[in-house]
Amino acid sequence: MGGGEPLGAALADRLAEQWHRAGVTHVRRAANLTELATLVDAATGPVIVSGTDLVAHTAVLRHLATSPVGPTVALVLTDPPAPGQAVVREERGQVVDAGPDGRLDGGQTGVFGGALRVGRDDLPALAAAARAAVAGTPIAGTDPAAVAATPPAAGPEAAGSAVDRLFTGLTALGTLTFAHRVRLLVAHRVAGPAGLAAAEAAVAAVDEDRAELRLSVKEKDDFFTTFFVSTWSPYVTKASAKLGLTPTGVTAISVLFAAVAAVLFGVGGRPALVAGAVLLYLGFVLDCVDGQLARYTRHFSAWGGWLDTMADRAKEYLVYAGLGYGATAAGFRYGWALAVAAMTLQTVRHMTDTWYGVLHDEAARRPKAVGGGGGGIGDRLNAASTRVQADTGSLSYWLKRTVVFPIGERWALIALTVALFGPLVSLVAVLTWGVLAFAYTGALRTLRARWMWVPVLDTVDATLHRDDGPIAARFPVLRPMGPLTLAVLGALGPAALLAAAGLRVRAGDEAGGLAWAVPVALLVLLVAALGAGAAHNGPLDWLVPAALRAGEYLFAIAAGLVGGAPAWVVFGYVFVLTLHHYDLTARLEKRQAAPPLHGATLGWEGRSAVLAVAAFAGFAGIAMATLGAYLLVVFVGSVVLAWVVLPARARRGVGVPAGGEVRQPG
């Protein structure tokens, strides 16, 4: 669209052609914001809006059009702002404020690049922002519907670039907008012939394909991945693209490598262990390549993102199974127990990681709600973390990224320890570092979360993410204690039962003598259901899902131990539970709806009740295997319905409107 561009129609025509090459299906030239609002009203898909003063590689436009970070994304540059251009302030990749140069009091982190993609759900806000800019009305905190009903003011539009005023208004309406930064490629907004010539020269000087390949690598990754994978994985990425492999195909090969490594770890013997370690490393390289290939070829999909998340966890836990079997076969009695412990610990850690990320994103969207601690310890921790993250490449930066035990470091530790020492040492090393990392991150995040005081579980379907079933829905609400306190108290019963059963086994007694304690532990666990109907708006309630996962897993392990279930059956059952719960977190991260068959999973309390009856009656192994198989069938059924059947039905049932659309492909 136009709006103060002095370089004429030639630049606008070239930009329109670039948008076509970037994959935008329909390009329209809007003479003013009023016409733009009319076009947006008729749109049925994502809309890209840009000024005509932008000079950039076509790849930059394609990256903006296909960015997977969110439905609404704005181009953000590091150039100094020109008169009339909007500056932005970002936190965690989100634009939290925008306005004319000077309004942010030096807090800006970049300048608006004159182009943004707006998701379908945000189109009413876009039209409202356009009409408000025409009317000259302030719109901060204004309902988009009220703005849309406001008649345009007489006279010319306010001074300044139309696209900048539009973007500022959209931000003021509270639209969640992600920032798209330009790395290695070039993009500039130009204001005259000299600027145009300089920008065109800069664009021409870049080897676009080489830059695209380097851009496929994450800008900030963990130490092991950065120095031992990403230094050569782009070559594998380019070879994969030439061979016509898809990101999903690379993911499948990565899973195969990890599965074979797990088998070799179970077989044992130094040659098998070393070969397994090599395959594990190569599998992790491919795990990085699938994402790099998606970015290099711009083949993104919700299915691919979901599959990548699920495959990562499935691979890791298959490796734990191989290590557990290998340690047991080598003569260590508790090999499977260590494998179950490693899987449980890692899953609970991931639950806290996921929800803390949601908490931090919500805090970034509501910066005024943050900092209420008045310079307390949370404020100091937040400032220290920001400084360390900004000091890219420093010793403190790499220590912070490594101490939390990310996936690259986990796989490197497993590969090294199993090749040099064996499965037992590998499991012990993973558990030791995992516990220390959990204690470190848990303590710091708790302090920072109390300082932020930003609730997140009340912004989503808490019943879904608690994984409550029909029994919990019928429990009364015990409001004064809060859902987190109740969830932690509930987990103490299974923890005590598991500890007692473990001590009896270690002493040479039968754990079956504690069958009477299983119903008692279940009653304690069900205390957590008393918080199901309470408001989850406390500063630490983001920990509720992790506490509930810990309670259910501990109870399942304890029931299996008391009921005499084989250790591998217990591992398999907990593994299926982790798939179910990772499905929920992956859908949360990808903004997907609930699994279609979620209601058939019985809920954490229903599954625990079934296991309690089985353990008390003495057939825990059969019940655990049967319930696990049932949950696996439900999980696979949900996957098929969600990603195959329902999308096919939607495609058959949606007509294609004729004309009037301003959008890019979904």
Side-chain angles (χ1 to χ4, degrees):
M1 64 165 291
E5 302 84 350
L7 298 177
L11 186 54
D13 291 341
R14 185 175 70 178
L15 190 59
E17 177 59 29
Q18 284 186 286
W19 280 120
H20 276 301
R21 295 203 307 272
V24 178
T25 54
H26 303 290
V27 178
R28 300 284 188 272
R29 178 74 185 272
N32 51 49
L33 290 174
T34 301
E35 184 177 340
L36 174 68
T38 302
L39 290 172
V40 170
D41 288 337
T44 59
V47 170
I48 294 177
V49 181
S50 71
T52 55
D53 59 348
L54 178 62
V55 176
H57 285 96
T58 301
V60 172
L61 309 185
R62 183 169 59 250
H63 292 178
L64 179 67
T66 59
S67 174
V69 298
T72 299
V73 187
L75 185 65
V76 176
L77 309 177
T78 57
D79 298 348
Q85 292 181 356
V87 295
V88 303
R89 182 164 66 85
E90 307 159 57
E91 289 190 22
R92 289 178 59 85
Q94 302 173 57
V95 176
V96 297
D97 202 0
D101 186 23
R103 190 179 74 79
L104 302 187
D105 297 326
Q108 64 264 24
T109 57
V111 62
F112 175 50
L116 69 155
R117 187 194 72 201
V118 182
R120 182 178 58 186
D121 293 341
D122 292 330
L123 293 184
L126 179 64
R131 291 188 171 98
V134 174
T137 56
I139 60 175
T142 304
D143 180 11
V147 175
T150 303
E157 296 178 4
S161 169
V163 72
D164 290 277
R165 290 185 285 113
L166 176 69
F167 174 67
T168 299
L170 186 67
T171 304
L173 283 171
T175 303
L176 174 59
T177 304
F178 292 87
H180 178 77
R181 288 280 187 172
V182 178
R183 294 191 297 127
L184 303 181
L185 297 170
V186 174
H188 296 292
R189 298 179 68 180
V190 298
L196 174 61
E200 288 177 334
V203 168
V206 175
D207 183 336
E208 189 169 317
D209 184 69
R210 183 177 181 183
E212 287 249 57
L213 189 60
R214 292 305 305 168
L215 284 170
S216 69
V217 178
K218 289 182 179 178
E219 183 177 9
K220 292 183 178 181
D221 217 325
D222 305 315
F223 182 85
F224 180 79
T225 306
T226 298
F227 294 103
F228 295 94
V229 175
S230 296
T231 50
W232 66 280
S233 60
Y235 301 107
V236 182
T237 298
K238 188 159 188 176
S240 300
K242 288 183 176 180
L243 291 172
L245 292 176
T246 65
T248 299
V250 175
T251 299
I253 298 173
S254 173
V255 172
L256 178 62
F257 275 33
V260 174
V263 171
L264 292 173
F265 295 157
V267 168
R270 189 61 55 196
L273 295 179
V274 172
V278 172
L279 281 177
L280 189 64
Y281 169 66
L282 294 177
F284 179 66
V285 172
L286 292 177
D287 183 47
C288 297
V289 167
D290 60 7
Q292 293 172 9
L293 183 61
R295 288 184 286 273
Y296 182 58
T297 60
R298 309 311 292 177
H299 287 164
F300 300 113
S301 68
W303 157 252
W306 178 90
L307 181 65
D308 184 55
T309 299
M310 299 300 295
D312 284 350
R313 302 288 73 76
K315 288 185 295 185
E316 184 171 358
Y317 295 165
L318 282 175
V319 169
Y320 290 167
L323 293 174
Y325 180 86
T328 303
F332 182 68
R333 182 180 181 185
Y334 304 110
W336 277 110
L338 291 179
V340 174
M343 178 169 57
T344 300
L345 172 66
Q346 196 55 49
T347 303
V348 174
R349 278 193 64 206
H350 276 136
M351 296 300 123
T352 62
D353 291 345
T354 295
W355 285 98
Y356 184 75
V358 175
L359 170 79
H360 225 302
D361 287 342
E362 185 67 21
R365 287 193 285 272
R366 299 189 291 177
K368 292 181 181 178
V370 182
I377 187 170
D379 198 359
R380 294 194 293 272
L381 286 172
N382 192 60
S385 177
T386 301
R387 286 195 302 270
V388 171
Q389 291 292 349
D391 193 11
T392 306
S394 67
L395 178 61
S396 58
Y397 173 84
W398 289 120
L399 283 175
K400 179 178 174 61
R401 294 194 69 92
T402 303
V403 73
V404 298
F405 204 26
I407 185 170
E409 274 64 16
R410 290 199 303 276
W411 285 57
L413 180 67
I414 292 171
L416 285 173
T417 53
V418 76
L420 294 175
F421 306 107
L424 175 59
V425 173
S426 187
L427 283 171
V428 171
V430 167
L431 277 167
T432 301
W433 193 344
V435 168
L436 293 175
F438 196 17
Y440 166 76
T441 58
L444 293 183
R445 288 173 176 177
T446 297
L447 290 172
R448 294 179 67 183
R450 287 186 62 84
W451 166 74
M452 292 179 190
W453 202 283
V454 176
V456 291
L457 266 170
D458 63 348
T459 66
V460 298
D461 183 351
T463 298
L464 171 66
H465 292 291
R466 283 176 53 97
D467 195 23
D468 291 329
I471 298 177
R474 290 170 172 79
F475 267 58
V477 180
L478 190 60
R479 299 183 189 280
M481 297 191 70
L484 177 59
T485 301
L486 293 169
V488 172
L489 288 175
L492 293 179
L497 175 61
L498 179 59
L503 290 174
R504 286 179 68 95
V505 170
R506 185 175 178 82
D509 298 329
E510 291 293 330
L514 290 174
W516 61 270
V518 174
V520 177
L522 176 66
L523 291 176
V524 177
L525 177 63
L526 290 177
V527 167
L530 295 172
H536 290 62
N537 55 7
L540 299 180
D541 283 348
W542 55 279
L543 289 167
V544 168
L548 291 173
R549 301 299 88 84
E552 182 181 5
Y553 297 167
L554 290 173
F555 184 81
I557 297 167
L561 185 58
V562 172
W568 63 269
V569 172
V570 177
F571 182 95
Y573 177 74
V574 177
F575 177 64
V576 173
L577 284 184
T578 64
L579 291 179
H580 166 61
H581 289 133
Y582 275 117
D583 187 18
L584 295 179
T585 59
R587 290 173 181 275
L588 174 69
E589 293 171 348
K590 308 302 177 185
R591 301 176 181 84
Q592 298 295 313
L597 301 180
H598 179 72
T601 60
L602 308 179
W604 62 268
E605 78 286 4
R607 296 186 294 265
S608 299
V610 171
L611 291 183
V613 172
F616 186 76
F619 55 91
I622 296 175
M624 191 168 280
T626 303
L627 182 57
Y630 165 76
L631 292 173
L632 184 60
V633 170
V634 171
F635 170 76
V636 173
S638 275
V639 171
V640 173
L641 281 173
W643 300 108
V644 180
V645 177
L646 296 179
R649 289 178 181 175
R651 285 193 295 269
R652 288 196 301 267
V654 176
V656 179
E661 235 179 302
V662 183
R663 66 182 180 92
Q664 57 93 20

